[in-house]
Amino acid sequence: MMEIFECKSCGSLIGIQGEKEPLFCPLCRGKMIKIELDVDLKVKITCPDCENIFFVKENFSPYKCAFCNFTFISSPFRKFEERL
């Protein structure tokens, strides 16, 4: 069963399967809270650094991993990942 989390700052939604809770919003790095909502989050994101998995809506590009500090490539012109 997927648990849904919402960012208290920007309202982004992510889904988590399992017991681990996200530490940060993948978009603005705000605090995530668990909510009771039935929403279809189909896009699976796997962090190449910590290997944690979270789900997002279509056309949502996460900036950072929800669990660690890994920065995803968000532009087709960037060739390397960057850690901030």
Side-chain angles (χ1 to χ4, degrees), residues 15-83:
I16 305 293
Q17 291 179 331
E19 296 181 15
K20 191 167 185 175
E21 293 190 6
L23 301 174
F24 311 103
C25 172
L27 190 60
C28 74
R29 305 309 277 167
K31 180 179 169 83
M32 302 295 289
I33 57 169
K34 189 187 309 186
I35 61 170
E36 298 295 325
L37 184 67
D38 187 24
V39 63
D40 193 19
L41 303 173
K42 294 181 179 179
V43 179
K44 179 180 176 181
I45 306 290
T46 304
C47 177
D49 198 28
C50 69
E51 299 181 356
N52 283 307
I53 297 170
F54 59 99
F55 295 84
V56 297
K57 291 182 179 181
E58 290 184 47
N59 300 322
F60 179 86
S61 297
Y63 173 62
K64 294 269 194 172
C65 174
F67 299 96
C68 71
N69 204 32
F70 180 80
T71 303
F72 291 98
I73 297 173
S74 58
S75 167
F77 302 108
R78 282 181 61 188
K79 296 184 182 190
F80 301 101
E81 292 87 5
E82 172 184 321
R83 287 180 161 256

Side-chain angles (χ1 to χ4, degrees), residues 5-13 25 28-33:
F5 290 83
E6 179 182 36
C7 175
K8 288 179 73 175
S9 297
C10 72
S12 294
L13 299 174
C25 172
C28 74
R29 305 309 277 167
K31 180 179 169 83
M32 302 295 289
I33 57 169

